[in-house]
Amino acid sequence: MGITRQNILDTDLYCLTAEKFSLGRSNVEVVRAMLDAGVKLVQYREKEKKAGAKLEECRAIREMTREAGAAFVVNDDIDIAILVGADGVHVGQEDLPVEEVRRLVGPDMAIGLSTHSPEQARDAIRRGADYIGVGPIFRTYTKDDVVDPVGFEYLDYVVAHHDIPFVAIGGIKAHNLGEVVRHGARCAALVTEIVGETNISEKITALRKTMKAAKE
C-alpha cells in the first residue's frame, strides 16, 4: 500500500526543511541526505522565498521523495502542494480552515493542522484534519510567529484522549527527544537538529537509537 491520508504519519522522524540553518546547503541537498538516511517523511517549509523558487524546489523534492517511497508534505502553500502532487499539506491555526483546504486539495491529500491546546485538538478532529501537530513542546526559534511552549501537559492530553495521528514538534533536540517519546509521541519533528548537522545520516541514526531506547 502506498502513502495515504491514513498512514502518512506511520514513521518516527518528521523532517522539515530550513535552508537558513542548513550550513550553506540547498534544501534539495539536505533532503537528498535525509532520504539517503532512510527518512520517510519530509515537510517543505520555507516562509521567505518567492513562489516560483519554492515551486521549483518542491518539484525536485517531490520527485526525490517519490523515488524513495517517502511522503512529501508542503507547509502552508496549498497551491504548490496541488501543483507538485504532494502527499500532504500542513496548515496553521490562522490559515484557511481545514474544510476549505479539503475543497481545494481533493479527497486524497492528507491535511495536517498545527494545534496548541485541547480545544484546538478537538476542533481539528471535528473539522476533519488527518493529523495534528502538537506543540511547541519546547521553545523554538525556527519560526518568527511561534506561540509559547505548551510543554508536556498538552502532549499528555492528546495521548490520553484522542486517537488522531499526531507529530510532536517544537524545540525538540537530541537531548530531550527521549523524554518526548516517553510521554507517548511515536512521531517527532526536528528541524535545526537535523538540517544544521554536518553529517545528517549519522545524526538521524543517533536520533533513531534514542527513540528506540526510550520506547523500551
Side-chain angles (χ1 to χ4, degrees):
M1 183 172 65
I3 298 163
T4 67
R5 290 169 53 186
Q6 292 73 35
N7 69 16
I8 193 167
L9 279 198
D10 287 353
T11 188
D12 51 358
L13 294 174
Y14 188 121
C15 296
L16 292 84
T17 65
E19 197 166 78
K20 69 179 180 179
F21 299 108
S22 297
L23 308 181
R25 296 167 296 191
S26 70
N27 285 321
V28 172
E29 289 177 284
V30 168
V31 171
R32 169 51 62 202
M34 292 174 177
L35 296 174
D36 287 346
V39 165
K40 290 302 179 184
L41 197 159
V42 174
Q43 184 193 114
Y44 180 87
R45 186 174 76 181
E46 288 295 338
K47 302 289 188 180
E48 307 300 329
K49 292 193 176 190
K50 300 294 186 182
K54 289 196 282 189
L55 176 60
E56 183 177 353
E57 284 189 329
C58 283
R59 279 182 169 150
I61 294 170
R62 166 71 288 188
E63 187 62 30
M64 291 161 55
T65 52
R66 184 177 286 121
E67 290 175 357
F72 181 45
V73 176
V74 176
N75 181 272
D76 288 352
D77 295 297
I78 300 166
D79 50 352
I80 292 177
I82 294 169
L83 286 170
V84 303
D87 300 297
V89 61
H90 190 95
V91 294
Q93 288 292 319
E94 297 181 354
D95 296 321
L96 290 176
V98 170
E99 306 96 310
E100 302 304 325
V101 177
R102 177 61 65 205
R103 291 178 61 189
L104 293 171
V105 303
D108 298 325
M109 190 181 294
I111 301 173
L113 177 64
S114 297
T115 66
H116 320 296
S117 68
E119 294 76 20
Q120 290 179 357
R122 292 191 292 267
D123 187 61
I125 293 168
R126 180 179 61 81
R127 290 176 177 273
D130 295 297
Y131 75 87
I132 58 174
V134 173
I137 307 298
F138 308 104
R139 186 164 301 281
T140 177
Y141 300 95
T142 60
K143 294 175 63 178
D144 295 330
D145 57 347
V146 69
V147 302
D148 290 333
V150 299
F152 288 117
E153 183 178 358
Y154 176 43
L155 174 59
D156 292 342
Y157 164 82
V158 173
V159 171
H161 293 91
H162 297 298
D163 293 328
I164 187 171
F166 73 88
V167 53
I169 191 169
I172 300 174
K173 309 288 186 183
H175 69 86
N176 57 35
L177 176 60
E179 192 175 6
V180 173
V181 173
R182 285 190 289 273
H183 276 264
R186 290 180 293 179
C187 182
L190 295 93
V191 188
T192 57
E193 193 74 349
I194 292 177
V195 304
E197 188 68 30
T198 302
N199 191 318
I200 289 175
S201 180
E202 284 187 0
K203 172 60 73 168
I204 288 171
T205 297
L207 292 171
R208 285 189 158 141
K209 287 181 179 178
T210 297
M211 296 183 79
K212 182 178 179 181
K215 293 175 183 176
E216 295 175 347

